[in-house]
């Protein structure tokens, strides 16, 4: 049996890029209307507009960083803001030229362009994963040309879990988690954040931190560590359990 993650399993990734794309269009129209009505736009107004833009783009990244346990979601949106706003201010003298509108709307155009590219990349990335269930082992292949492979012998599997949240049930997909004697499927890496502060007679300090932390016994689904986002996951789980029962010469009971 050969399986691939469905497009529905990557809905969250696609949704965030669609959000950035349409937010960029709305921001461009809003900025254009405001500038047309008030040609002498003050610097403070532009700064406030950029601050609002950064909040609307960075907050979803922070949310996804905690939800997906991947710090890159936050870093990606931050870097795009730095790039777009950096272009806007560095080439500010070129705004009145023929193609000055590109510089004027650079903070928004960067997000729009990258979002379109990202949607194509996400789907291409999804297609690189393949799961093969056979007698004797389960094979996880990923990477272009399937250059990376992970082979899990059935004799090493200690449990098979079904990972489905409400959205996954709604779209008819799920993750089949293979727990092995070596610990695969029992933990993953996450992110943490918080605020630290301290005071004394001579100094007061405060800071905000975010980084990686190992979380034992908390599984975070990833296409590389489970049979990710497949259609009819219950049937897939039952197939693996039948193979396990056959491997151990035991009767299968669902």
């Amino acid at each position: 049996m050969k399986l691939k993650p469905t497009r529905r399993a990557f809905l969250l990734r696609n949704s965030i890029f669609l959000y950035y794309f349409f937010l960029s269009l709305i921001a461009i129209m809003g900025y254009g209307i405001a500038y047309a009505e008030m040609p002498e736009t003050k610097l403070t107004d532009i700064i406030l507009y950029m601050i609002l833009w950064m909040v609307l783009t960075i907050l979803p990244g922070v949310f996804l960083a905690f939800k997906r346990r991947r710090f890159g979601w936050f870093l990606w949106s931050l870097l795009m803001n730095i790039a777009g706003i950096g272009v806007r201010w560095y080439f500010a003298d070129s705004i009145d030229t023929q193609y000055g509108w590109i510089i004027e709307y650079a903070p928004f155009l960067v997000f729009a362009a990258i979002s379109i590219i990202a949607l194509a990349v996400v789907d291409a990335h999804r297609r690189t994963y393949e799961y093969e269930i056979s007698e004797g082992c389960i094979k996880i292949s990923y990477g272009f040309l399937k250059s990376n492979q992970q082979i899990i012998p059935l004799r090493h599997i200690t449990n098979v879990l079904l990972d489905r949240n409400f959205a996954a049930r709604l779209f008819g997909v799920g993750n089949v988690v293979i727990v092995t004697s070596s610990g695969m499927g029992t933990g993953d890496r996450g992110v943490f954040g918080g605020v630290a502060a301290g005071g004394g007679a001579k100094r007061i300090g405060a800071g905000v931190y975010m980084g990686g932390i190992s979380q034992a016994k908390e599984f975070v689904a990833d296409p590389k560590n489970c049979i990710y986002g497949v259609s009819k996951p219950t049937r897939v789980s039952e197939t693996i359990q039948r193979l396990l029962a056959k491997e151990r010469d035991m009767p299968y009971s669902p």
Side-chain angles (χ1 to χ4, degrees), residues 26-52:
I26 293 171
I28 289 172
M29 290 188 292
Y31 189 88
I33 292 172
Y35 189 82
E37 293 180 352
M38 297 181 294
E40 300 298 328
T41 305
K42 296 181 180 179
L43 179 61
T44 53
D45 295 331
I46 296 176
I47 292 175
L48 289 174
Y49 198 86
M50 289 297 102
I51 291 174
L52 176 62

Side-chain angles (χ1 to χ4, degrees), residues 122-167:
V122 166
D123 193 60
H125 176 69
R126 177 189 66 83
R127 293 172 182 270
T128 64
Y129 290 93
E130 184 177 87
Y131 310 107
E132 184 176 351
I133 303 171
S134 61
E135 293 187 6
C137 70
I138 296 174
K139 184 187 297 183
I140 300 177
S141 304
Y142 57 93
F144 291 98
L145 302 178
K146 304 295 184 295
S147 55
N148 301 301
Q149 289 188 345
Q150 186 172 187
I151 299 175
I152 309 167
L154 292 182
R155 65 179 180 273
H156 291 169
I157 297 175
T158 58
N159 202 357
V160 180
L161 307 176
L162 199 57
D163 177 38
R164 302 178 78 186
N165 54 27
F166 176 76

Side-chain angles (χ1 to χ4, degrees), residues 79-121:
L79 290 177
M80 291 302 99
N81 271 299
I82 292 174
I85 295 175
V87 169
R88 169 66 175 77
W89 292 109
Y90 187 79
F91 296 100
D93 295 338
S94 304
I95 289 179
D96 295 329
T97 61
Q98 181 179 359
Y99 298 102
W101 62 272
I102 297 177
I103 306 300
E104 183 76 23
Y105 297 119
F108 319 124
L109 291 175
V110 167
F111 267 87
I114 295 298
S115 294
I116 293 174
I117 296 172
L119 286 170
V121 170

